[in-house]
């Protein structure tokens, strides 16, 4: 039963010049208002306002007609009809019960409907909004000038206020939920997609490590923190795979890619939260250690170096072993990032030409 009702409410319009969303909003509003007048019928029966039965039943039927018209490819006329209908019974109830009945709050529902269902230009929507504001002010002036036809009891005032407040909130919440559903979903997808793009732009596609551009941005941020005194120490290390060309020449570049991926996984396991690992270019990698001095970074890298030396990479039945050479140094804010990288690059070069598989600090 619920599925059938949902299908009926969400049925699309046939006219190419009208939107399904506007029709659905009008249908939901009509259903809520029908329930509202049913509740009022019960409330009037309990509080002794039986003389308004005919009015409530007539308005219930009118909103039923409003619901039906949304299937006749005349959504624009339905919008006008709802505004006139709602404005009419608000005037009637204000005249009969006065300002304390609270039905004037339904003008806010009309305001929301004006902006969510109308096809008019924004300037016209603003004009209608201003007209609704004047309408509410006029009702207020009327109630201060004339007494209501019926003097409500205290219980009836409370009942009216509770019911009206409840249904105004239900109406506005429902309308905005329907109106923003697709846009919120699209915005969520867009945020996720942008985050994905940002992640892809920041990472090396082969190894999944930070790429050269993103690690430089990170270093610039850390350099500023060092200069501001927010970072006590910063250690950098540049590493290179020993005889990597020999691996590519012997087993092919696909094997070389496998080696790089295995090493990247090992970097993440060994360094983890202690620092940042990045692919600097080719078979070179740059490591950054926040608030870790050179001596402590030396211990971390030496453990990494030994694990690399012990690691065996299986590739098509072949067991491949590699080693790495490291150049390590502490950041000196007087020299800057570029000079520090040049210094550790010279240390790496020295390590390459003095036996490899070592850390030069």
């Amino acid at each position: 039963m619920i599925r059938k009702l949902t299908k009926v409410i969400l049925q699309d319009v046939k006219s190419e010049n009208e939107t399904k969303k506007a029709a659905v909003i009008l249908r939901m509003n009509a259903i809520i208002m029908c329930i509202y007048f049913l509740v009022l019928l019960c409330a009037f029966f309990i509080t002794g306002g039986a003389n308004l039965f005919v009015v409530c039943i007539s308005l219930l039927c009118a909103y039923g007609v409003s619901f039906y018209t949304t299937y006749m490819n005349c959504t624009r006329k339905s919008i006008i009809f709802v505004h006139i209908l709602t404005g009419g019974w608000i005037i009637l109830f204000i005249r009969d019960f006065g300002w304390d009945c609270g039905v004037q709050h339904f003008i806010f529902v009309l305001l929301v409907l004006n902006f969510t269902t109308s096809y008019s230009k924004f300037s016209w929507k603003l004009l209608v909004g201003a007209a609704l504001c004047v309408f509410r002010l006029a009702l207020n002036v009327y109630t201060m000038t004339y007494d209501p036809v019926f003097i409500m009891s205290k219980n009836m005032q409370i009942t009216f206020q509770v019911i009206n407040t409840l249904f105004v909130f239900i109406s506005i919440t429902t309308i905005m939920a329907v109106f923003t559903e697709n846009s919120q979903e699209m915005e969520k997808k867009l945020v996720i997609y942008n985050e994905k793009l940002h992640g892809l732009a920041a990472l090396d596609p082969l190894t999944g490590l930070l790429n050269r551009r993103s690690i430089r941005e990170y270093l610039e941020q850390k350099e500023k923190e060092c200069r501001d005194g927010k970072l006590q120490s910063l250690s950098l290390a540049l590493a290179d795979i020993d005889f990597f060309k020999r691996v590519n020449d012997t087993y092919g570049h696909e094997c070389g890619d496998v080696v790089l991926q295995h090493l990247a996984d090992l970097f993440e396991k060994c360094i983890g939260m202690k620092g940042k690992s990045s692919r600097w270019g080719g078979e070179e990698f740059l490591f950054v250690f926040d608030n870790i001095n050179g001596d402590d970074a030396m211990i971390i890298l030496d453990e990494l170096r030994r694990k690399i030396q012990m690691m065996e990479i299986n590739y098509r039945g072949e067991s491949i072993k590699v080693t790495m050479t490291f150049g390590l140094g502490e950041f000196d804010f007087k020299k800057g990032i570029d000079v520090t990288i040049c210094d550790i690059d010279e240390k790496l070069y020295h390590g390459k030409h003095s036996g490899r598989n070592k850390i030069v600090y």
Side-chain angles (χ1 to χ4, degrees):
M1 181 67 182
I2 297 176
R3 287 184 179 180
K4 289 182 179 179
L5 180 60
T6 303
K7 187 177 180 181
V8 170
I9 294 172
L10 298 179
Q11 182 177 320
D12 200 356
V13 292
K14 296 179 180 180
S15 175
E16 296 180 354
N17 297 323
E18 298 178 345
T19 64
K20 171 185 173 182
K21 185 177 290 186
V24 171
I25 289 173
L26 289 171
R27 290 165 193 165
M28 293 299 297
N29 179 69
I31 292 172
I32 292 170
M33 294 311 300
C34 286
I35 297 172
Y36 168 73
F37 285 110
L38 283 173
V39 172
L40 278 188
L41 278 173
C42 297
F44 286 146
F45 180 79
I46 295 171
T47 57
N51 54 325
L52 286 174
F53 272 20
V54 175
V55 175
C56 287
I57 292 173
S58 299
L59 291 171
L60 194 154
C61 294
Y63 277 101
V65 172
S66 169
F67 181 89
Y68 176 74
T69 57
T70 60
Y71 297 95
M72 301 173 63
N73 296 324
C74 53
T75 307
R76 296 173 188 270
K77 293 179 181 179
S78 296
I79 296 169
I80 297 171
F81 177 72
V82 168
H83 277 70
I84 295 173
L85 174 63
T86 305
W89 71 257
I90 287 174
I91 293 173
L92 177 64
F93 275 59
I94 289 292
R95 186 203 67 176
D96 289 347
F97 300 105
W99 191 260
D100 291 338
C101 71
V103 295
Q104 68 275 8
H105 300 316
F106 278 94
I107 294 174
F108 295 119
V109 176
L110 288 179
L111 184 64
V112 174
L113 282 173
N114 172 52
F115 281 93
T116 57
T117 62
S118 176
Y119 303 105
S120 305
K121 294 181 180 179
F122 186 71
S123 57
W124 177 252
K125 292 181 180 181
L126 288 176
L127 184 62
V128 173
L132 290 172
C133 180
V134 172
F135 176 51
R136 194 174 191 276
L137 291 173
L139 291 174
N140 192 12
V141 172
Y142 175 84
T143 56
M144 288 189 293
T145 307
Y146 301 98
D147 293 329
V149 176
F150 302 103
I151 304 300
M152 294 187 296
S153 65
K154 196 68 176 179
N155 289 337
M156 193 172 183
Q157 284 183 15
I158 294 172
T159 303
F160 239 130
Q161 288 286 355
V162 171
I163 293 173
N164 290 334
T165 300
L166 180 63
F167 275 89
V168 166
F169 271 87
I170 291 173
S171 296
I172 293 176
T173 302
T174 302
I175 292 168
M176 294 311 299
V178 174
F179 183 72
T180 60
E181 181 185 10
N182 291 340
S183 58
Q184 286 179 335
E185 184 179 347
M186 289 304 296
E187 285 180 8
K188 183 179 179 181
K189 288 181 179 179
L190 186 60
V191 169
I192 294 173
Y193 182 67
N194 286 336
E195 288 177 351
K196 184 178 179 181
L197 287 179
H198 184 266
L200 291 173
L203 300 179
D204 173 62
L206 178 63
T207 62
L209 300 175
L210 295 174
N211 58 28
R212 185 168 184 145
R213 181 186 62 80
S214 56
I215 197 64
R216 281 201 67 91
E217 290 177 356
Y218 181 76
L219 285 171
E220 289 170 3
Q221 176 189 339
K222 294 302 169 183
E223 181 178 23
K224 186 177 184 301
E225 291 180 11
C226 284
R227 295 182 186 278
D228 294 342
K230 297 179 181 178
L231 198 64
Q232 299 301 319
S233 58
L234 184 68
S235 298
L236 281 71
L238 197 60
D240 186 87
I241 305 173
D242 299 328
F243 302 112
F244 187 66
K245 186 176 183 300
R246 186 184 300 173
V247 174
N248 282 329
D249 292 343
T250 303
Y251 303 103
H253 288 279
E254 185 178 338
C255 176
D257 291 345
V258 173
V259 170
L260 292 172
Q261 290 169 341
H262 276 76
L263 287 172
D265 292 339
L266 185 60
F267 297 159
E268 292 295 302
K269 290 177 183 177
C270 291
I271 295 177
M273 301 300 293
K274 301 172 186 175
K276 296 285 186 182
S277 307
S278 67
R279 189 179 182 190
W280 191 245
E283 65 270 24
E284 280 192 330
F285 299 88
L286 183 68
F287 304 94
V288 182
F289 301 94
D290 295 0
N291 282 321
I292 296 178
N293 59 34
D295 293 334
D296 292 335
M298 179 76 172
I299 296 172
I300 298 171
L301 290 176
D302 191 55
E303 181 184 357
L304 174 61
R305 182 194 63 79
R306 286 186 286 104
K307 287 187 177 182
I308 293 171
Q309 186 178 2
M310 296 170 57
M311 183 177 65
E312 291 188 8
I313 302 170
N314 295 316
Y315 179 75
R316 295 182 181 179
E318 297 284 346
S319 181
I320 301 167
K321 301 189 70 175
V322 295
T323 59
M324 291 189 72
T325 303
F326 299 80
L328 171 64
E330 291 186 7
F331 169 66
D332 185 349
F333 72 90
K334 293 181 180 178
K335 293 182 179 179
I337 291 293
D338 291 329
V339 175
T340 303
I341 292 176
C342 287
D343 289 344
I344 61 175
D345 191 35
E346 288 181 7
K347 293 177 181 179
L348 172 60
Y349 181 81
H350 178 69
K352 284 288 203 178
H353 289 80
S354 59
R356 292 182 169 85
N357 189 27
K358 62 175 64 176
I359 303 170
V360 179
Y361 174 40

